[in-house]
Amino acid sequence: MATATANSNDNNLSSRTQQSPLASQRAKESNTPTEANRRGTVGAYFTLGYKEGFSQWWANVPAAVAEHSVLSYVPYLSRPPTHAQTGSTPPSNNGANMPISENPKEQALPVETDSNSDPFGPRQWHSNLVKLDGKNRALNEFSVERLGERNDQNLVMLHGYGAGLGLFYKNFEGLSRVPGWKVYALDLLGMGRSSRPAFKIHAKERQQSITEAENWFVDALEEWRLQRKIDKFTLFGHSLGGYMAVAYALKYPGHLNKLILASPVGIPEDPYAVNAAMPEPTESTMVNEVTQNGQTLANESNSRLPESGKPAGDGNNFFNAKSNAKAENASDDGSATAPRKPLPKWLTYLWDANISPFSLVRWSGPFGPRFVSGWTSRRFSHLPPDEAQALHNYAYSLFRQRGSGEYALAYVLAPGAFARSPLIRRVHKIGRQSIATEAAATPGTQPAQVTREHGFPVVFMYGENDWMDIAGGHAAVQKMTEEKEKILKSATGEERRAENGSAKCMIIQKAGHHLYLDGWEEFNQVMREEMAEVSKQVV
C-alpha cells in the first residue's frame, strides 16, 4: 500500500514541468539565457529560477515520495519499498515534528529481486521505521540482505549533517554483493525521515552539553542495535555521522568489528574553535561544502595532493589555507603577526543562537527551493539530470522539515566547523575501552568481571579533492598507532595474541567530501574489500 502510494506520487512528480537546477547550471555554463543567469551574480549562484522554485514550493512533495524517487535509481530495484509512517504528508500540513503513523497500511512490505532480474541476487530490500523508547522517537531504516545464505555480518551506514539515507543510493547494490552481509542505512534521530522530537540540552557546563548532544544520537543508535538483536557490526559514518560513530564506539564498547570513517568532521584540535580569533569566512571549510562543484571533482585530480597521499596540511582547513595565510602574514624575522580577524558577528551570532541553515530554508517559503539549488546544482552536477533532479527534490523535502537533530551542530562544532571537543583527543581510546560483563544471575554472589577491548580496525577515508583536510586522518592514525605500541610493551602473551587494533588512511580518487557519491565505483570496491577482511577475521 505504502509502496503503491509512493510510486503514484512519484509518477505525478516526474510529470511536472519543472526545470532541474542542474539544467539551469549547465545552461548558465553554456551561456544559454535562462531566468537564473539573467539576474547576474545572485541569479547565477542560485540556479533555480523564481518560477521554478515557486512551482516546487507549491507542489509540496512529501519526504517519503522524494526518498522513494531517489531509491528507484538503485540498480535492479525500480520499485523500492518505502514505508509511509513518517514524511508521507508535507510539513506544512501537520503541526507535529515528523508525526509517526500507527496505521499498519503505511508500513512497506519487503521487495525481492530474483536472479533473473538481479545478476547479484536474490536479495530482499526493506524499508522500516524502528520505534525507540520515549515520545516521538524512531529511526528510519533502509536495508538489503542476501537470500539463500547465512548473513552473519552487518554493515550500518550513517549519513552526514542534515542529509538522509537516500544519498547512499549508489552504494546499496554494490555493497550488498558481499556474501554473508546485511546492509543497513539509518537516518540519524531528528534528521532525514526519522522522527523529529524536540531537541533541548539540559546541561549547563560546556563539556556536559557536548556529551549530551552526542548522546542524543548515539543512544538512539544503541537502542536500535538492541531492538535488531545485533551483537557486533561494522559501523560506517560520513562527516557528522563519522563524528557520531566515534562517539558511539567510545560510549558503547564491545560491539564493533570495524569502524570506517569517511571524511569525518571534528578530528583536528584548533584554538580558533573556542577562542576569539577565527579564520576568515572564505577559509572556513563549511564554505567549500556549498561551493564545490561535483562535475569538477569527478573530472579533475588534485595536483596539490602529494604522491604519498598525505597532504602537507594541518587541521581541518581547505588545502592548508590557514598555514599558508600564517606564512604570508609572518614578518621577515619569522614572528607571526597579530591574530586574524574573527568571523563576522552576524555569522557567529546565528551559529551560537542555533539558527541552522535549514531554518533559513523554512523561513524563506517559496524562495526555499531556489536557495537549496545553490547547493544541489553544484553538489550533483556530475550526475545525470534526472538523478540530480530527484536528489534536489529529496534534499529540499528534508531541509524544510521541522528542526530537531540539526540543532545539535552548535553544541558539537564551533563556527568554522571545528569540534568543540576534538576527536584527536579521543581517537586513541577507540577499541581500548573497558567492558563490564553481566553479573551473575543471583545478585551479590559474584561481582561483574571487567575486560578490555583489544582493538579493532579503523579506516579513515577522504576524497582526493576533499575540503576536509586529510591531515587530520593521518594525525589520528599516528595517535592510534602510538597507543597500540604503548599497550603492547606491557602486554602479556595472551593479550598480544588477542590484539586486533589497526588504523589506516585511504583516498578515493576524483572525489570530494561526498566521496561515496562522487567516486562511488571505487568507494564500493574499497568497501567490499574492507567487508571481506572482516568476514575472514571473525571466522
Side-chain angles (χ1 to χ4, degrees):
M1 175 83 178
T3 304
T5 301
N7 277 324
S8 176
N9 290 336
D10 188 43
N11 291 334
N12 292 337
L13 175 62
S14 63
S15 66
R16 300 186 187 276
T17 57
Q18 296 182 24
Q19 183 184 30
S20 74
L22 178 59
S24 300
Q25 169 76 0
R26 288 174 174 169
K28 175 180 71 65
E29 293 173 350
S30 63
N31 296 321
T32 302
T34 65
E35 178 183 0
N37 60 42
R38 280 198 299 266
R39 298 181 183 275
T41 303
V42 176
Y45 187 80
F46 300 113
T47 57
L48 194 67
Y50 289 110
K51 292 181 180 179
E52 299 159 330
F54 181 84
S55 177
Q56 185 179 359
W57 172 78
W58 184 260
N60 218 6
V61 175
V65 176
E67 179 187 285
H68 177 86
S69 177
V70 170
L71 294 179
S72 67
Y73 289 100
V74 174
Y76 319 118
L77 186 68
S78 59
R79 297 176 65 87
T82 308
H83 75 79
Q85 292 178 271
T86 57
S88 59
T89 58
S92 58
N93 293 352
N94 64 74
N97 293 340
M98 189 71 81
I100 300 174
S101 172
E102 301 292 344
N103 188 346
K105 294 182 179 180
E106 304 293 349
Q107 299 177 5
L109 297 176
V111 172
E112 291 187 12
T113 54
D114 57 36
S115 55
N116 293 323
S117 60
D118 180 358
F120 299 98
R123 291 180 278 198
Q124 190 173 74
W125 310 75
H126 305 260
S127 173
N128 296 299
L129 186 71
V130 182
K131 296 181 181 179
L132 310 177
D133 292 337
K135 183 180 179 181
N136 196 34
R137 296 179 73 246
L139 295 185
N140 183 35
E141 171 197 281
F142 187 80
S143 63
V144 52
E145 62 181 322
R146 303 182 60 80
L147 298 178
E149 60 186 61
R150 184 176 176 180
N151 295 310
D152 295 325
Q153 299 299 323
N154 298 281
L155 172 66
V156 179
M157 305 180 73
L158 305 179
H159 60 77
Y161 177 69
L165 58 82
L167 292 185
F168 295 130
Y169 78 104
K170 290 281 193 184
N171 315 121
F172 292 129
E173 189 281 320
L175 301 186
S176 60
R177 296 180 187 180
V178 185
W181 282 77
K182 184 171 183 177
V183 178
Y184 294 91
L186 303 176
D187 280 339
L188 295 172
L189 183 64
M191 296 184 187
R193 279 211 302 140
S194 290
S195 65
R196 297 187 173 228
F199 180 87
K200 185 176 181 181
I201 295 296
H202 299 89
K204 302 299 182 183
E205 192 270 330
R206 178 178 175 276
Q207 184 56 49
Q208 292 178 353
S209 296
I210 297 171
T211 301
E212 188 176 344
E214 294 174 355
N215 290 345
W216 162 275
F217 299 103
V218 301
D219 289 350
L221 176 58
E222 176 64 3
E223 286 185 56
W224 173 87
R225 182 192 70 81
L226 292 172
Q227 288 214 28
R228 286 297 184 228
K229 296 180 172 55
I230 297 174
D231 181 27
K232 304 195 75 171
F233 61 100
T234 295
L235 181 58
F236 167 91
H238 170 253
S239 196
L240 182 66
Y243 178 100
M244 294 304 167
V246 172
Y248 176 85
L250 295 175
K251 183 174 183 181
Y252 295 104
H255 299 297
L256 297 187
N257 288 320
K258 178 175 284 190
L259 180 61
I260 304 176
L261 306 174
S263 192
V265 73
I267 291 182
E269 181 168 3
D270 191 279
Y272 297 92
V274 292
N275 298 329
M278 297 288 290
E280 293 286 353
T282 55
E283 294 176 0
S284 168
T285 57
M286 294 298 285
V287 173
N288 293 288
E289 168 62 7
V290 177
T291 59
Q292 272 195 333
N293 186 294
Q295 183 67 41
T296 302
L297 296 175
N299 295 324
E300 290 186 358
S301 295
N302 180 6
S303 60
R304 284 170 286 186
L305 191 66
E307 292 298 324
S308 64
K310 180 177 180 180
D314 61 75
N316 183 13
N317 61 86
F318 187 54
F319 291 126
N320 208 22
K322 190 181 301 177
S323 293
N324 294 337
K326 288 179 179 178
E328 292 171 2
N329 291 337
S331 60
D332 294 336
D333 61 1
S335 60
T337 60
R340 300 179 61 79
K341 292 191 301 181
L343 290 168
K345 290 184 178 180
W346 64 266
L347 181 57
T348 55
Y349 171 80
L350 291 177
W351 191 291
D352 293 333
N354 226 342
I355 298 176
S356 76
F358 312 121
S359 299
L360 304 180
V361 173
R362 292 188 286 266
W363 294 342
S364 61
F367 297 102
R370 193 162 189 260
F371 290 159
V372 174
S373 74
W375 177 69
T376 58
S377 63
R378 292 163 176 78
R379 176 89 296 281
F380 308 131
S381 60
H382 62 298
L383 298 171
D386 54 343
E387 292 185 33
Q389 176 66 56
L391 287 167
H392 168 77
N393 295 337
Y394 178 59
Y396 176 62
S397 73
L398 298 184
F399 293 173
R400 70 179 307 192
Q401 299 296 325
R402 291 177 179 268
S404 177
E406 68 194 60
Y407 297 129
L409 187 70
Y411 292 94
V412 174
L413 304 179
F418 290 96
R420 297 188 187 276
S421 179
L423 296 182
I424 195 65
R425 300 178 181 176
R426 301 184 265 171
V427 290
H428 63 287
K429 300 178 183 178
I430 296 176
R432 307 296 176 185
Q433 301 295 294
S434 298
I435 306 174
T437 59
E438 295 184 2
T442 305
T445 58
Q446 183 177 351
Q449 295 183 346
V450 177
T451 59
R452 183 174 293 276
E453 291 180 296
H454 296 289
F456 51 78
V458 179
V459 180
F460 295 85
M461 288 186 186
Y462 292 85
E464 182 183 14
N465 299 298
D466 209 320
W467 55 258
M468 199 74 71
D469 195 345
I470 191 177
H474 283 292
V477 169
Q478 180 178 351
K479 197 160 187 178
M480 297 179 71
T481 302
E482 291 173 351
E483 181 68 14
K484 176 180 177 179
E485 293 173 351
K486 177 183 175 181
I487 290 175
L488 289 178
K489 285 182 180 180
S490 58
T492 63
E494 183 178 354
E495 290 172 337
R496 286 177 174 272
R497 288 189 294 272
E499 175 60 38
N500 190 41
S502 66
K504 63 182 178 180
C505 212
M506 308 180 69
I507 295 175
I508 302 300
Q509 301 298 318
K510 296 184 179 180
H513 181 56
H514 296 264
L515 51 107
Y516 58 89
L517 185 59
D518 300 332
W520 62 272
E521 292 177 295
E522 181 181 351
F523 171 83
N524 288 349
Q525 179 59 37
V526 170
M527 285 290 294
R528 285 194 293 265
E529 293 172 358
E530 294 298 328
M531 294 162 69
E533 287 184 6
V534 173
S535 299
K536 294 178 182 178
Q537 291 176 353
V538 298
V539 172

